[in-house]
Amino acid sequence: MSEQLKFIVEQLNKEPFKKNFNLVMFDSLEPIQLLQILNDVLAEIDPKQSIDIREEMPEQTVKRMTSLLGMLKYKLQDNMSDSFQQGLVTGSKSVIHPILYWLLQRVPDLKKRAYLARFLVKLEVPAEFLHDDIVSDTYHQYEELVEGFKMYHKECEQLRTSGFSTAEIRRDISAMEEEKDQLIKRVERLKKRVESVSNHQWMLKQARQLRMEKEREESLAQQKQQQKNQLFQAEQRVLRSQQQLKEMRQSAADANPESLTRRLEEEIKINTYMVTEKLPKELESLRRTVQYLQKVASEPAMGQANIRELEDRVKNVDSQINLLIEKKMLRNDPIDDKLTLYRQQASIISRKKESKAEELQEAREALATAEKEMKQRHSQSSPEEEVIRGDELKRLVAKLRSKGTAYKKKRQELSELNAEYGVLQRTEEILRQKHEAVQEKLQAVEDEKGISGYSNTQEELERVSAIKTELDEKKGRTLDDMSEMVKRLNSLIVEKKSALAPIIKELRSLRQRREELSQEYGEKKTQYESCAAGLESNRSQLEQEVKALREEMAQKENQYHYINSMSEVKILRSCCSNGYRNLFSFSFLFLREVIQIKMLSKLREEQKMVKENHSANMEQMKMWRDLEQLMECKARCFIKAQNQGSVGHVIQDEAKDMLVL
């Protein structure tokens, strides 16, 4: 929320608002002031909104703002839809702050949308007024003007985004004017040169005629090329017209009223089947699919337990379906058994009919898309373009012929199937009538003999016995299959056990070996840790001793240098007391002192280098000593472990450290 307020305050402090707010001031504004700021932002987007809200009724203000926000596609939150208008009336921060944040994020886009909405939002005219001719014509003109505005606006946007600018055009115009001035100057210079030549007027006239003839030659070549293109297009049109004439003659050869009526009847039958049977089924299936998907989307996410429960429910339903099928087989009517053949044929024919209808629908869709593409190409192509070459036209004609023959074959097959379907329907009706008559006669005879229902019970018993034999055979086959499967599984288990026996034995020995090695590793690890701890303590003691000795050595060196320098000073003083007598001895002492100073400076530099590298060298030396001790310890442990199996221990003395195993 704080980021939102920061963004709103930053945008209001910029152009064109210039409010000079801070977060505290903006947060402490009154509701009427918040509404006025919102109105100012809306006025920046749409200048019609620039009014003082104190001079307007609250209901009108809310209505005006909600209509503008709806036009700008402002989406309300679900939990604020009820209290939105009330929040606008009262100037609630929870309502106005999100609106300001949304508006200030996209001011340029919303300006454009508000500008377009003034011309593109259509007026709602009631349907009863549109029956009037004048109102209808005016409304159509209004719609045409709206479409024209859309087109002009798109062209304007394309020009704005195409990269051209007035500054560039002005620069181009100025460059062209400069070139024009240069050309005028060059022409004047050439005229001055030509005036000195004799017969220059006649030569200029000839050059002008030559230029005109060249231009005429170029225009004639263009006209010739255009005439060639037009001739080729005319030849193509003639070929197409001839082909169409040939096809029309072929189609008119058998174009009698009977064939036309037959075709129309077939098309009517196909269309009625598509409208009454196929399309409603597809629509119903799509609706069921949509309902199922909506139901799935509305339900919460399912876990593994829910999925298992649904699978168990599906299994139970499948078992119930199987039981119902078995009961239906036991209760089947003999008439239905005799009509199963015809029902199967009818179902096969209906499936074929559905497949052919689907193929017909696909062919119609392909034809519609091809016609649409052809219209687009005709609208896009200019009259000067080459339409179709000869070879392409031949291939297209051959392709169309093959498609036409295939369509005729499919249509003939469909008509044959329809005829066969009608014959089968009529046959089914006749057989049903005959069967009903025979059943009535048989029932009358049974009633006369006093054995009514005998035939039905006999057929029922035969069917039940046949079903029982089939079930027994199935049970026997399933039992044989299960016994064979059990034998095969037992044999596989025995084979796998025999194959895994040596591997299991080896694995047991390896496990024992692993336990022994892990125990030995633990013991060696404890020995190593105790030895390392002892060595580490000795090393720390030795380091402390070395440090103390080095400090003592530095103190002794300082004392030595101090005493030596004091003795030299005394000698020099005694020499100075002798005067000039010992001048030679002074020069000799001076040279010796200079040499000693140089040697001391060199020694100090070496001492400095040693001090700088002392820590690294000592650490490296310590690491090497530790490594050497560790390797010696490991070697002794290895040798002793081969000879004896006793546990080792470390003995520390003042003089040395010993690892005894």
Side-chain angles (χ1 to χ4, degrees):
M1 197 67 182
S2 60
E3 296 295 330
Q4 186 176 355
L5 287 176
K6 285 181 182 178
F7 179 78
I8 293 170
V9 171
E10 287 176 1
Q11 295 299 320
L12 290 175
N13 291 334
K14 293 180 181 178
E15 290 285 345
F17 305 107
K18 292 184 177 180
K19 296 294 182 180
N20 294 324
F21 285 142
N22 54 29
L23 290 175
V24 178
M25 289 174 62
F26 182 75
D27 193 48
S28 61
L29 290 175
E30 296 294 330
I32 190 70
Q33 294 175 342
L34 269 178
L35 279 173
Q36 186 62 49
I37 290 170
L38 177 60
N39 191 77
D40 294 341
V41 175
L42 293 175
E44 178 63 25
I45 294 169
D46 187 5
K48 291 182 180 179
Q49 309 294 325
S50 60
I51 58 174
D52 192 354
I53 61 172
R54 292 175 292 183
E55 300 174 358
E56 190 179 22
M57 296 295 292
E59 292 81 6
Q60 295 179 358
T61 303
V62 171
K63 185 177 179 181
R64 178 172 55 82
M65 288 184 177
T66 51
S67 62
L68 182 59
L69 290 172
M71 185 182 66
L72 297 176
K73 304 290 182 63
Y74 177 71
K75 294 181 180 179
L76 296 177
Q77 298 178 3
D78 295 336
N79 55 0
M80 293 179 62
S81 58
D82 298 333
S83 60
F84 181 73
Q85 293 184 357
Q86 185 179 359
L88 278 179
V89 172
T90 58
S92 176
K93 296 179 181 179
S94 61
V95 176
I96 294 176
H97 286 177
I99 298 173
L100 286 172
Y101 182 70
W102 185 80
L103 292 173
L104 293 172
Q105 275 183 328
R106 41 183 74 83
V107 171
D109 296 336
L110 295 177
K111 278 185 179 180
K112 183 178 177 182
R113 188 176 292 173
Y115 168 73
L116 294 175
R118 293 190 322 189
F119 305 101
L120 298 182
V121 175
K122 293 184 179 180
L123 299 173
E124 295 182 359
V125 180
E128 56 268 16
F129 293 114
L130 290 175
H131 294 297
D132 190 1
D133 295 335
I134 298 172
V135 176
S136 178
D137 294 338
T138 307
Y139 190 73
H140 286 309
Q141 290 178 4
Y142 168 68
E143 289 181 343
E144 290 176 358
L145 290 172
V146 169
E147 296 296 329
F149 175 76
K150 288 181 182 178
M151 183 177 65
Y152 293 139
H153 181 70
K154 286 181 181 178
E155 291 178 358
C156 180
E157 290 294 326
Q158 289 176 359
L159 290 173
R160 285 177 180 174
T161 58
S162 60
F164 295 105
S165 63
T166 55
E168 292 180 357
I169 294 170
R170 286 174 183 172
R171 285 197 296 270
D172 294 338
I173 291 170
S174 61
M176 292 170 70
E177 288 178 353
E178 290 177 358
E179 290 179 358
K180 181 181 176 182
D181 295 336
Q182 291 176 2
L183 289 172
I184 290 170
K185 290 178 182 179
R186 287 181 65 186
V187 169
E188 290 178 354
R189 285 198 299 270
L190 290 172
K191 280 183 180 180
K192 289 179 181 179
R193 289 181 184 177
V194 171
E195 285 176 356
S196 62
V197 180
S198 61
N199 297 327
H200 65 277
Q201 294 292 337
W202 179 79
M203 294 174 70
L204 288 172
K205 186 178 179 181
Q206 295 296 324
R208 191 178 298 109
Q209 289 179 357
L210 177 63
R211 179 175 54 78
M212 291 172 65
E213 290 297 329
K214 285 184 177 180
E215 291 177 354
R216 186 181 175 188
E217 183 181 2
E218 290 178 357
S219 65
L220 289 173
Q222 291 178 358
Q223 292 177 4
K224 183 179 178 181
Q225 186 65 32
Q226 291 177 0
Q227 292 293 327
K228 284 183 179 180
N229 294 332
Q230 292 176 2
L231 178 62
F232 178 74
Q233 292 174 4
E235 290 176 354
Q236 294 291 328
R237 286 196 293 271
V238 168
L239 290 173
R240 287 198 298 274
S241 301
Q242 290 177 356
Q243 185 67 27
Q244 291 176 0
L245 180 62
K246 187 177 179 181
E247 291 177 355
M248 291 176 68
R249 285 176 179 174
Q250 289 178 358
S251 61
D254 56 347
N256 49 13
E258 295 177 356
S259 63
L260 291 174
T261 53
R262 197 184 310 114
R263 289 178 186 173
L264 289 173
E265 287 176 356
E266 290 177 358
E267 289 181 359
I268 289 167
K269 286 180 181 179
I270 292 167
N271 291 327
T272 52
Y273 170 74
M274 296 285 289
V275 173
T276 58
E277 295 183 14
K278 187 174 184 300
L279 293 177
K281 287 180 182 178
E282 291 180 355
L283 185 61
E284 188 63 28
S285 65
L286 290 173
R287 282 176 181 169
R288 285 197 299 269
T289 306
V290 169
Q291 290 176 359
Y292 176 72
L293 292 174
Q294 287 177 353
K295 184 178 178 182
V296 171
S298 62
E299 290 180 355
M302 292 191 297
Q304 197 68 26
N306 296 327
I307 293 170
R308 290 199 195 95
E309 185 179 354
L310 290 175
E311 288 177 353
D312 295 336
R313 196 182 299 172
V314 169
K315 289 179 182 178
N316 293 329
V317 172
D318 289 337
S319 63
Q320 291 176 6
I321 289 168
N322 292 327
L323 291 172
L324 291 173
I325 289 168
E326 290 177 0
K327 289 179 181 179
K328 186 179 178 182
M329 289 173 66
L330 293 172
R331 289 198 306 267
N332 273 340
D333 194 1
I335 298 172
D336 296 335
D337 292 337
K338 292 179 181 179
L339 295 176
T340 52
L341 178 63
Y342 302 107
R343 286 178 179 171
Q344 289 176 359
Q345 291 180 357
S347 63
I348 290 167
I349 290 168
S350 64
R351 284 196 295 270
K352 286 185 179 179
K353 192 175 181 181
E354 289 178 358
S355 64
K356 295 299 178 184
E358 289 177 357
E359 291 178 1
L360 177 62
Q361 189 175 0
E362 290 176 358
R364 285 181 176 176
E365 290 176 357
L367 180 63
T369 53
E371 289 177 352
K372 186 177 180 181
E373 187 177 357
M374 184 178 71
K375 288 179 182 178
Q376 289 178 356
R377 288 185 178 180
H378 279 303
S379 63
Q380 291 176 0
S381 62
S382 61
E384 296 182 358
E385 291 181 353
E386 296 182 0
V387 182
I388 299 175
R389 297 287 182 181
D391 298 334
E392 294 179 356
L393 183 61
K394 288 179 182 178
R395 287 196 295 271
L396 182 61
V397 169
K399 189 175 180 181
L400 289 173
R401 283 178 182 173
S402 62
K403 286 187 176 181
T405 53
Y407 172 70
K408 289 177 181 178
K409 287 180 182 179
K410 298 294 183 184
R411 191 173 63 184
Q412 186 177 0
E413 289 178 2
L414 187 59
S415 61
E416 290 176 357
L417 289 170
N418 288 327
E420 187 178 356
Y421 179 67
V423 171
L424 289 171
Q425 280 184 342
R426 181 60 182 163
T427 307
E428 184 181 1
E429 290 177 0
I430 292 167
L431 291 171
R432 187 180 289 111
Q433 292 174 3
K434 287 182 179 180
H435 182 71
E436 288 176 357
V438 171
Q439 286 294 113
E440 289 176 357
K441 288 180 181 180
L442 182 60
Q443 191 173 2
V445 171
E446 287 178 355
D447 292 335
E448 290 177 0
K449 301 295 183 180
I451 53 171
S452 59
Y454 174 76
S455 60
N456 292 333
T457 54
Q458 185 68 26
E459 290 176 357
E460 187 72 25
L461 289 171
E462 290 177 358
R463 187 169 62 253
V464 169
S465 63
I467 292 169
K468 185 176 180 301
T469 54
E470 289 179 359
L471 290 173
D472 292 337
E473 289 177 358
K474 287 181 180 178
K475 286 179 180 178
R477 286 197 296 271
T478 53
L479 287 172
D480 294 335
D481 294 337
M482 288 174 69
S483 62
E484 289 179 0
M485 189 182 292
V486 168
K487 289 179 182 178
R488 191 162 57 252
L489 289 172
N490 288 328
S491 62
L492 286 172
I493 289 166
V494 172
E495 289 177 0
K496 295 294 182 183
K497 282 183 178 179
S498 61
L500 291 172
I503 297 172
I504 291 169
K505 290 180 181 179
E506 187 177 357
L507 182 62
R508 288 174 182 170
S509 62
L510 291 173
R511 283 177 179 171
Q512 292 177 358
R513 178 64 177 165
R514 184 182 67 81
E515 291 176 357
E516 293 175 358
L517 290 174
S518 62
Q519 187 177 3
E520 185 177 356
Y521 170 73
E523 294 174 356
K524 298 296 183 183
K525 186 177 180 182
T526 54
Q527 294 175 12
Y528 169 74
E529 288 177 353
S530 63
C531 181
L535 293 174
E536 184 68 23
S537 62
N538 292 332
R539 184 180 64 80
S540 61
Q541 290 177 1
L542 290 173
E543 284 181 354
Q544 291 176 0
E545 292 177 0
V546 168
K547 188 176 180 181
L549 291 172
R550 282 179 179 164
E551 291 177 356
E552 187 178 356
M553 181 184 71
Q555 291 177 0
K556 297 294 184 183
E557 285 181 354
N558 291 330
Q559 291 177 2
Y560 168 73
H561 288 300
Y562 177 73
I563 292 167
N564 192 10
S565 60
M566 291 301 291
S567 62
E568 289 178 355
V569 167
K570 287 181 179 180
I571 292 167
L572 287 172
R573 285 178 180 175
S574 62
C575 291
C576 289
S577 62
N578 294 327
Y580 292 99
R581 293 176 300 174
N582 298 326
L583 185 60
F584 180 75
S585 62
F586 281 123
S587 62
F588 177 76
L589 290 172
F590 179 75
L591 289 174
R592 190 180 67 179
E593 189 68 23
V594 168
I595 292 167
Q596 287 180 357
I597 289 168
K598 287 182 179 179
M599 290 176 68
L600 283 172
S601 62
K602 288 181 180 180
L603 290 172
R604 284 173 183 171
E605 289 178 358
E606 290 178 359
Q607 185 180 7
K608 186 178 179 181
M609 290 175 64
V610 169
K611 285 182 179 180
E612 288 176 353
N613 299 324
H614 175 69
S615 60
N617 293 331
M618 289 300 295
E619 187 175 358
Q620 188 174 6
M621 185 173 67
K622 180 181 67 175
M623 290 169 65
W624 279 108
R625 286 176 181 173
D626 293 342
L627 180 61
E628 185 179 1
Q629 290 177 1
L630 183 61
M631 295 302 292
E632 289 176 358
C633 181
K634 284 186 176 181
R636 287 196 299 271
C637 289
F638 180 71
I639 293 167
K640 295 294 182 180
Q642 288 181 352
N643 297 328
Q644 296 176 0
S646 62
V647 179
H649 58 278
V650 178
I651 299 173
Q652 296 180 357
D653 294 332
E654 295 180 356
K656 57 183 178 178
D657 297 336
M658 293 184 295
L659 179 63
V660 180
L661 299 174

